[in-house]
Amino acid sequence: MPLSTFVIFDVDGVLIDSREAVRQAYASVDIVVPEKAWGISWREWLPEMVESESRAKKLHVAKNEAYPGMIRKFARELPPIKTLRELLMLDVRVGILTAASLHAARMVSIHLGIHRDVEFIGTECRNKVEVLARLSDKGQYVDDHDQFFNIKNFDKIGWRFIHYVPTMSSDDLMEVLEDGHYHLSRREE
């Protein structure tokens, strides 16, 4: 399979490990992030936790004010960011699709230095398959969460799902993007 002309990445857990940055930003407003909150929008867990939609919004705004500093201090780049940068040099159209808020996604993209080069396909996404289905261009989508997706749904909408796992290097991911296969034998060389 030739390299797609459109590749979309999830952000947290794929391009950057921001878990500790998120934890610390919420801790700055006295919120402990529950384990069930990872991979979903704050709108799906915070209002219930604080028992108020308006209070949840205020806390989220305050968390976002602290977030840029926490990203600089606690976040670390993951191998797919190198792949994303290589794709940009090859003039591949690159986007991001995330459950994070637009503000958080922008802060991460600024930190990574990609904010001028990537398309924000969607933020606070509850159903990424639906978002991808609405796009006229088709391609490949990279995410670290496979439990949220029925892979058959990706086939139906003309997208290819690539499950990123932490053991993959940037070269491994590029190999999968280029030919659809992960050759373990090459990693052993």
Side-chain angles (χ1 to χ4, degrees):
M1 168 183 281
L3 184 59
S4 175
T5 58
F6 195 14
V7 180
I8 297 177
F9 292 84
D10 179 40
V11 178
D12 300 306
V14 175
L15 299 178
I16 192 166
D17 179 354
S18 59
R19 192 172 278 233
E20 190 58 28
V22 170
R23 274 194 186 111
Q24 293 297 325
Y26 273 114
S28 74
V29 295
D30 298 322
I31 296 292
V32 175
V33 180
E35 209 46 46
K36 71 175 187 170
W38 300 109
I40 62 174
S41 169
W42 66 275
R43 293 179 191 277
E44 296 180 49
W45 62 272
L46 189 55
E48 180 183 319
M49 176 185 248
V50 300
E51 300 176 351
S52 164
E53 181 74 32
S54 62
R55 183 163 181 253
K57 279 185 180 178
K58 289 176 185 172
L59 288 167
H60 185 71
V61 167
K63 167 259 179 189
N64 278 343
E65 290 173 9
Y67 193 50
M70 301 304 177
I71 293 170
R72 285 188 296 278
K73 191 171 183 179
F74 296 106
R76 66 181 178 84
E77 292 184 7
L78 295 175
I81 189 60
K82 180 180 175 196
T83 307
L84 182 149
R85 290 177 179 132
E86 289 174 19
L87 292 170
L88 289 171
M89 290 183 352
L90 295 170
D91 291 324
V92 172
R93 184 176 169 202
V94 176
I96 58 174
L97 177 61
T98 179
S101 68
L102 178 59
H103 177 63
R106 280 194 178 134
M107 292 301 99
V108 168
S109 69
I110 289 167
H111 175 77
L112 295 172
I114 60 172
H115 58 288
R116 291 186 181 98
D117 303 314
V118 299
E119 295 177 46
F120 288 86
I121 304 303
T123 58
E124 295 191 36
C125 293
R126 290 192 169 122
N127 190 327
K128 294 178 180 180
V129 175
E130 284 180 10
V131 173
L132 293 170
R134 288 193 300 263
L135 297 174
S136 57
D137 293 333
K138 304 302 179 194
Q140 300 179 80
Y141 175 65
V142 183
D143 202 313
D144 62 321
H145 292 288
D146 65 343
Q147 74 270 23
F148 297 137
F149 308 113
N150 179 338
I151 304 306
K152 292 177 186 171
N153 289 339
F154 279 87
D155 293 339
K156 288 178 189 173
I157 64 169
W159 280 83
R160 183 163 167 253
F161 176 77
I162 298 172
H163 182 211
Y164 168 73
V165 293
T167 56
M168 292 175 83
S169 70
S170 176
D171 291 339
D172 296 334
L173 180 56
M174 186 62 89
E175 184 177 298
V176 174
L177 289 167
E178 288 174 340
D179 70 13
H181 302 286
Y182 180 49
H183 302 284
L184 186 59
S185 61
R186 287 193 197 158
R187 290 199 72 217
E188 295 170 349
E189 293 175 357

